[in-house]
Every structure is written in C-alpha cells, then in structure tokens.
Amino acid sequence: MKILITWWAGFVGSHLCKRLLDEGNEVICLDNLFTCNKSNITPLLHHPNFTFVLHDITQPFRMQVDQIYNLACPASPVHYQKNPVETMKTSVLGAMNMLELALKTKARVLQSSTSEVYGDPSIHPQPETYWGNVNIAGSRSCYDEGKRAAETLFYDYHKAYGVDIRVIRIFNTYGPHMHPSDGRVISNFIMQALKNEDITIYGTGEQTRSFQYVDDLIEGMVRMMNNVDWFIWPVNIWTPFEFTMKELVEVILALIPESKSQIVYQPLPEDDPKQRKADNQLAKEKLGREPRVELKEGLMKTIEYFRKFI
Ligand code: UDP
C-alpha cells in the first residue's frame, strides 16, 4: 500500500513511519522540518520504500496514495505557542489540503486529533461525546481550536463528499525519539533528573494526565485506520492510567536514583487542564485492545533513550 504521513520527523511520525515500512508499505513523508529531531530522520532516508518530501502542508499537495495519516502540527505547548497563527494554519489548512487530496485520490484519511479538544474538562473521564471546555482566546487556543476546527472539517468532508475518514483523539504520549528539549512534562522531568537540574513542577503538581507509551498509540492508530469500518466519529486513544505531576516526579526519580535534582514549584501556565483521562469504552469496542505498557516500563525505555543526550 502507498501511504502518506504528514509531520513524520516529529516524535510520533517517526514511530509510525517505521511500523508501516516494517509491514512492507511504501511510505511518503511530508514535513517542513519545523520541530524536527534530525536523529529521527537519518536511519530511514536510505530505505528503498521511503520517500521524504520537504513540504509545508498549508500548501496543497498532489500524489496518488491509498491512505493518509495527518499528524501535522507541533503538539508541545512550548512549540505550538511560539507561532500561534502558524499553528492554526497548519491544523486547519493542513486538514483541508489532506481532505482535498483524499477526495481526489479516494484515499482513506486519518486525523490525529487530541485530548486538548476537551480543554479544561468538567467531565471526568472524558468520553468522545463530551463537547469540551475550551478558552477561545488563551495561549492554548491556537492548538485546541485549530484541532477542533480540523475535526469539524473532517466530519463535513465526509458528510458533504463522502470522504473516507477516521479520527482519533490522542492523549499524552511519550517514549524514545521525543526531542530532549521538547518542553513537555516527561521529557522535561527526565532530562532535568539526568542533568541534576531542578525539576520544575508547574502549579501545585496535583493536576493529572493519563500517559500512554508511544507503541500503544501506534497500535491504536494503525488499528483505527485498518480494522474499523465506516466509523466516522472520534475515538479516544487511550490509557486507563492517570497520575498527578507529583506522582510522575516520584516515579521518574525512583528510576534515576543517582539524581541529585531538587523539586521546585513554578507558576501554572494559563488554561492548564486540571485533570485529563480518557473514557476508554469506545476504544475497547472499536479497536479490541487495551494499552499494554505501564508507566514504569515505558519510562525505563524513555530514560534509556534520553541518557544519550547527556
Ligand atoms: N508540567 C510541569 N512541569 C514541566 C512541564 C509541564 O509541571 O516542566 C505540567 C504542565 O503544567 C501540565 C502537565 O505537566 O499540567 C503536562 O504538560 P505537557 O506540556 O506535557 O502537556 P499538556 O499540558 O499539553 O497535557
């Protein structure tokens, strides 16, 4: 099969790319290398079934393909808030360009949406039917509202033109190939602990996230693309584990016992969600699988990966 991935040089894209190549597919990757981790790119460049195209998906793209995974958009708050207008354009124009491509080529297109569409949720855990609680004018809005608008485009292209769509809402994901200065909590805490720097907890550290290891996400993504027939509504992907940031620090420090880091508390960023956990019922029913990698196991592999940057 000929498969297009947008934003492949990012963390999730590089794992997805490897999985699809290992399965014998021909993979074409589009990236403008905005949040690129160069070490993610190099190993695949000489693969015979791999093509890299330097392209910004806010511009139209034409190629005959069978499937499209649209991952495009930086996902770390630090990165996506640097250029909010570009973030919104990548989400919305990028989605439209990929939907146009799907319409013309009759490809199936999967949108990687996000738990951020729920904003600072008033329902816990969050089912896909929850409409969310998102600030329209805050520092996270460019990402949250961009992803929400992209989802709407997906449903409307399906309803108006019959485009074959799949939508997943990805919860906090971590693992090897994250950029060490990505700015998200797991990479920050691990790098700080490895470098004996202060560990920065924002706010009280009582806010929660449910973290999934990248292999579980990729499995869910590929199943959603291939095993789920004509289900156009979003599916949370996905993890039953929920931790406060204080608990996360404890687990990380226990795995890096040589660390001399101290914990420091810094102000909570604007609109930082207080709690987040997926309602997994729909994912269980549609994907027939539960996440397998527990936090400690996933963190051990991630810490090993980050050690080479010290
Ligand atoms: N966070 C933190 N220290 C850091 C980075 C993040 O306490 O050095 C907190 C952040 O305020 C949020 C949680 O960790 O409550 C997850 O942040 P991340 O940026 O990883 O993802 P998101 O907020 O988009 O879920």
Side-chain angles (χ1 to χ4, degrees), residues 8 15 55 61 92 106 109 111 113 120 135 138 142 148 161 167 189 192 196 198 200 208 226 237 245 252 305:
W8 81 285
H15 284 267
H55 181 83
F61 182 76
V92 178
K106 302 208 177 333
V109 56
Q111 168 69 356
S113 189
D120 188 6
N135 178 0
C142 58
R148 287 168 66 94
Y161 311 117
V167 179
F189 286 177
Q192 288 162 344
N196 298 313
D198 286 346
T200 52
T208 69
N226 296 303
I237 294 187
M245 298 311 106
I252 289 175
Y305 174 77

Side-chain angles (χ1 to χ4, degrees), residues 50-116:
F50 176 78
T51 308
F52 173 68
V53 182
L54 183 65
H55 181 83
D56 187 328
I57 67 151
T58 60
Q59 303 302 318
F61 182 76
R62 291 288 170 265
M63 183 183 272
Q64 185 63 46
V65 292
D66 304 305
Q67 292 185 339
I68 304 165
Y69 287 86
N70 183 33
L71 313 185
C73 199
S76 161
V78 178
H79 287 133
Y80 69 65
Q81 289 170 16
K82 265 188 202 146
N83 194 338
V85 174
E86 234 10 82
T87 298
M88 178 66 94
K89 279 168 71 181
T90 302
S91 278
V92 178
L93 298 179
M96 203 178 280
N97 285 326
M98 289 305 114
L99 284 160
E100 284 291 325
L101 181 63
L103 178 61
K104 294 200 169 78
T105 60
K106 302 208 177 333
R108 178 175 293 177
V109 56
L110 180 143
Q111 168 69 356
S112 61
S113 189
T114 166
S115 54
E116 286 285 326

Side-chain angles (χ1 to χ4, degrees), residues 75-78 80-81 114-116 140 143-144 171-173 178 182-189 192 198-211 245-246 248-249 264 266-269 271-274 276:
S76 161
V78 178
Y80 69 65
Q81 289 170 16
T114 166
S115 54
E116 286 285 326
R140 300 175 85 101
Y143 183 72
D144 299 8
F171 282 65
N172 295 62
T173 306
M178 287 182 96
D182 170 276
R184 277 177 281 190
V185 68
I186 289 198
S187 45
N188 273 11
F189 286 177
Q192 288 162 344
D198 286 346
I199 295 187
T200 52
I201 292 186
Y202 301 159
T204 61
E206 298 297 336
Q207 69 271 36
T208 69
R209 295 291 185 272
S210 52
F211 297 105
M245 298 311 106
K246 275 184 176 165
L248 178 64
V249 173
V264 296
Q266 294 189 350
L268 190 68
D271 297 333
D272 200 284
K274 285 182 264 322
R276 183 184 288 156

Side-chain angles (χ1 to χ4, degrees), residues 158-178:
H158 173 77
K159 286 184 234 167
Y161 311 117
V163 173
D164 187 5
I165 63 161
R166 301 289 182 276
V167 179
I168 55 170
R169 291 181 177 160
I170 301 176
F171 282 65
N172 295 62
T173 306
Y174 69 97
H177 300 300
M178 287 182 96

Side-chain angles (χ1 to χ4, degrees), residues 114-272:
T114 166
S115 54
E116 286 285 326
V117 299
Y118 301 124
D120 188 6
S122 50
I123 291 182
H124 193 70
Q126 295 83 55
E128 290 83 350
T129 47
Y130 176 50
W131 289 359
N133 175 31
V134 179
N135 178 0
I136 204 166
S139 48
R140 300 175 85 101
S141 310
C142 58
Y143 183 72
D144 299 8
E145 297 291 13
K147 287 288 195 176
R148 287 168 66 94
E151 273 199 34
T152 305
L153 278 167
F154 267 69
Y155 307 132
D156 285 341
Y157 263 78
H158 173 77
K159 286 184 234 167
Y161 311 117
V163 173
D164 187 5
I165 63 161
R166 301 289 182 276
V167 179
I168 55 170
R169 291 181 177 160
I170 301 176
F171 282 65
N172 295 62
T173 306
Y174 69 97
H177 300 300
M178 287 182 96
H179 199 289
S181 50
D182 170 276
R184 277 177 281 190
V185 68
I186 289 198
S187 45
N188 273 11
F189 286 177
I190 293 177
M191 289 303 288
Q192 288 162 344
L194 289 174
K195 290 157 96 178
N196 298 313
E197 293 172 356
D198 286 346
I199 295 187
T200 52
I201 292 186
Y202 301 159
T204 61
E206 298 297 336
Q207 69 271 36
T208 69
R209 295 291 185 272
S210 52
F211 297 105
Q212 69 184 329
Y213 188 65
V214 65
D215 288 357
D216 281 328
L217 166 63
I218 299 298
E219 185 62 36
M221 251 182 179
V222 172
R223 281 177 184 235
M224 188 71 191
M225 180 66 110
N226 296 303
N227 303 8
V228 179
D229 266 341
W230 282 105
F231 185 74
I232 67 152
W233 300 111
V235 175
N236 286 338
I237 294 187
W238 122 43
T239 156
F241 317 120
E242 182 182 10
F243 297 90
T244 66
M245 298 311 106
K246 275 184 176 165
E247 288 167 336
L248 178 64
V249 173
E250 277 171 29
V251 181
I252 289 175
L253 286 177
L255 293 172
I256 310 175
E258 71 279 13
S259 176
K260 296 184 175 46
S261 293
Q262 304 291 316
I263 294 170
V264 296
Y265 288 85
Q266 294 189 350
L268 190 68
E270 182 189 30
D271 297 333
D272 200 284

